[in-house]
Amino acid sequence: MTIGFKQCDLYSKAFATDGRSKEAKEAVNRLVSALDRFRANAEVLAEDVARTIPSLTDHSIHHLDALWTTASQIVGEEAVLNPLEAFVLGGAFLIHDLGNAICAYPNRMDDLAGNQWDDLMVKNLTLSLARRPTKKEISRPPNEVKDLVVLQRLRQEHANACVALATKGIHEIDGTYIPLIEDREISEQLGRLIGEIAASHHWSIEEVASKLDRYYSLTGMPLDWRVDALRIALILRCSDACQVDRRRAPPLRQAVLKPEAESRKHWIAQQRLNLPTVRRGSGVLEFRSNQPFTVDERESWQIAFDLVAKNAQKELVHSNELLKREGRREFAVRGIAGSESVAQFSRYVETEGWIPVDVSVQITDVANVVDRFGGQALYGENTSTPIRELIANAADAIRARRNVTTGGRGPSEGKIVVSLVEDGRGWVLEVVDDGIGMSQQVMTGPLLDFGRSFWTSDLALQEHPGLLASDFSPTGKFGIGFFSIFMIAESVSVTSYRYDRSQSEAVTIELEKGQLTPLLRRSTAREICPVGGTRISARLGEDPWTERGIVGKTSITSRENALASLVASIAPTIDVDIHVQVEGRKPVEAVVADDWIELSFPQLWSRLSDGRGGAMKATIPNSVRFDRNDRCLGRIAFHEPDYSTKCAVTVGGLMAGWLEGACTGVLLGTTELMSRDSAIPLVDGGLLADELKKLEDAESNLFDRPAVHFSAMMRRIGLVPAKIPMFMTSEIDAMSADDLENWAKKIDAGKEVLVNFTGTFEHDDGLGNSGTIRMYRKDIDFELRSNVVLAPELSTASLFSKSELLPRVGKSVDSVGMLSVVRDIFANAWEVKVSDLKPRWSELEIGHYYAREAHDIMLEVAVFTRPRIA
């Protein structure tokens, strides 16, 4: 029985024997016989694709056969392949997708493991959890995530498996191989070529042009049977892109495989498309729907549009352009009917009850969007913000290189140089790093794609496998920081090349403010970083030393020191060396990687305040360092209460904001805000308590103790340390939350507890002595009633000068009031719901004050009654 695809013009003309010599006929029959056996072997392997990935549309032998008829349409009636070309094309058809079967890999699932697997697992779990997954979550992912990663890895690797399948075949358990091409001579001479052409359907069009622009022949075959590898590869490429009709999604196969909801949309998209036809003489391939797409099927219609009007159209256009450029005959089909727009496409692929619209987001004025959403509107008017963003990007590049090359940080690996240079046209800011560098693809893609971060892109997974799954955690996440440079610059140039590539690959992109049409050119010798990395040069709009400049007016006389002080205040806790340079003079160290851990507190304060915070006493009575897993998470110090104190919070080593009112120093933090102007400290309540309780509480006043004030400050960002003193009763004058809970458990059911939130009262003894008295002072003679709790809501701790910059904890920006703290404690102690505790407010006697004679203390209190539990 004749197989249907053999009737098509491309196949039948190529293997026709009429008019050939005896030797040529024998050669044709040999090739046909070898291809038939090749097809029979491939058919068995193709069935495993459906078992491995049931969600895929048809990848069986029916799809492989159908490529012949689609190819015949594309090349046209007048195009003829010689028998050797037809054999190579047929072989490439057979194996181009067989790498989607697990059995195509010698070590099965083990061959999919490695860096790429880990990267995809981290990426998919991050999307699923909306956070970076833990090591345990990565090692034990949900089945749906694991299945998705298997699919993605097979899609990544299936092209790479083609050469092994064509040259070796299928790996047996005993280590031997079962060949797919049984004719050994053909396999040895043409197997690699068939495998490379099959793999090329997954390459970029540029790779196809550079790797396959050559001709092949086979010993023992007629000399004029040469294989044009480039043309054959382009036929495969376009045929595979255009073979997306109902033959790929048989309803019966769908009923058996039962693909998931997302996959089902792809099945419907192809089921609704009839076999395409060619408009005679038009060069256009026309797809029509066999029935309209309903309202519920609009996502499937969009998939059909993407497959046909976008992808297939792109492959046809690019392939024909390449054929024309290389002097080959173009295909008869050069485009897809209706590909101009969704409206035109819907004339052929119809809808019912709805009208398709272009769902792609288009930004017609990119420069305006960047200016409005990537500049002052996002970051405010702080001219140091662009420097911070450039340093953040440079540091990310250095950390990435460390992870790729050494798996972590070397002793002095990586450096950033920030410099200011004046030329005849004004001042230029340069930021240079010796980090991982960028390829031309990255510079013309993610770098210029506003709102898209390179580190989580598919290009990053491709160029640096294993990086995403490593400990590397980029500070830049949103793909907008680079554009903040236009807050201070009129133009900018970016020069880069990958650290592991030749300097000859270095390219430079130039951008003008207000006209984001980039100029791409080869870099000059002066621009190129010697050991790889990136140089960013920004022509400033203002003199950096003026009031409106990036450094501004300063009392620091040396310009190098002024710039160093500014850079250090921007990146006070960074793990990368930063040097500064002015006018080509000797570079000055601004920051040594992680030196903040060992600086004295006066030095640390000077750095945090850009040298403008005034002098700090060398001796500080109380200081704390927070460490976890051999990592320092912060350093704070306490001193005189009347000293204006504030604690910096940094993200990725860069300043994010201030906590004011309890201490001096710095805490490391994290943030999900694009502006990075507020953060959540990484130090938690338990670690706080463990360290703060070690302090020497030498002050005579309980609530002047550092731990108490720090506790009040932490409550402003939603943290309630359980073991830090916050309360006072007649029994204990320094109670923690845990202490108060144990105290409350002793209260009998039906009894009242009076809670005062000021801890102070106004007193006038009639003898000229009056004022506000704090009951928690040790030198005050007073006595509390046994059922009274003092829980003063200290006002000495405030967060940030702007409420909108309040650091966030989780999804909440609300501080925790003392009333809420007390109510939660009592609810836990009394084993009731918080909603069951509804205090009443009243002015009552809470104790006595003794000054010559006893005086009752009358204050407003919240009265809690312990419920009776039946």
Side-chain angles (χ1 to χ4, degrees), residues 192-230:
R192 176 162 291 278
L193 174 63
I194 291 171
E196 288 179 348
I197 289 175
S200 72
H201 81 288
H202 207 57
W203 300 350
S204 68
I205 196 75
E206 291 80 10
E207 283 185 280
V208 175
S210 64
K211 295 180 179 179
L212 293 177
D213 187 11
R214 54 186 188 269
Y215 293 85
Y216 289 81
S217 58
L218 180 66
T219 303
M221 297 288 171
L223 294 178
D224 60 340
W225 289 7
R226 292 197 311 160
V227 179
D228 183 348
L230 178 63

Side-chain angles (χ1 to χ4, degrees), residues 62-274:
H62 303 293
H63 162 54
L64 308 181
D65 289 345
L67 289 170
W68 278 105
T69 56
T70 304
S72 291
Q73 291 178 306
I74 290 171
V75 300
E77 296 176 354
E78 297 181 6
V80 178
L81 302 180
N82 66 57
L84 201 56
E85 286 181 316
F87 179 86
V88 171
L89 177 62
F93 281 161
L94 290 172
I95 66 169
H96 80 288
D97 272 345
L98 296 188
N100 284 307
I102 290 292
C103 66
Y105 302 87
N107 300 306
R108 305 305 192 255
M109 286 293 292
D110 288 346
D111 285 342
L112 301 181
N115 288 336
Q116 292 94 335
W117 175 279
D118 296 338
D119 285 340
L120 288 170
M121 185 61 71
V122 171
K123 181 176 181 178
N124 285 292
L125 284 172
T126 299
L127 290 173
S128 174
L129 301 169
R131 58 172 172 78
R132 186 176 176 86
T134 64
K135 291 182 179 180
K136 182 178 180 180
E137 289 168 335
I138 294 171
S139 63
R140 299 178 182 176
N143 288 335
E144 59 270 19
V145 174
K146 183 178 179 180
D147 292 344
L148 178 59
V149 173
V150 170
L151 170 62
Q152 292 171 339
R153 283 294 291 127
L154 287 171
R155 300 302 284 167
Q156 283 181 341
E157 291 296 321
H158 81 283
N160 298 331
C162 292
V163 173
L165 286 171
T167 56
K168 296 180 180 179
I170 299 299
H171 189 267
E172 279 274 63
I173 297 176
D174 62 5
T176 61
Y177 282 87
I178 300 175
L180 297 181
I181 305 176
E182 296 177 4
D183 189 310
R184 184 172 180 179
E185 185 179 17
I186 294 177
S187 175
E188 289 178 349
Q189 295 190 52
L190 292 180
R192 176 162 291 278
L193 174 63
I194 291 171
E196 288 179 348
I197 289 175
S200 72
H201 81 288
H202 207 57
W203 300 350
S204 68
I205 196 75
E206 291 80 10
E207 283 185 280
V208 175
S210 64
K211 295 180 179 179
L212 293 177
D213 187 11
R214 54 186 188 269
Y215 293 85
Y216 289 81
S217 58
L218 180 66
T219 303
M221 297 288 171
L223 294 178
D224 60 340
W225 289 7
R226 292 197 311 160
V227 179
D228 183 348
L230 178 63
R231 184 174 179 81
I232 298 303
L234 296 179
I235 294 174
L236 166 63
R237 189 181 194 88
C238 291
S239 302
D240 192 46
C242 293
Q243 214 271 296
V244 290
D245 51 69
R246 59 186 173 86
R247 292 171 292 182
R248 297 295 305 278
L252 180 58
R253 196 176 187 87
Q254 179 183 347
V256 173
L257 296 176
K258 294 181 173 58
E260 297 294 331
E262 285 302 312
S263 297
R264 194 157 54 246
K265 296 172 186 176
H266 288 262
W267 283 74
I268 293 173
Q270 297 181 58
Q271 281 175 0
R272 296 286 187 271
L273 298 178
N274 278 329

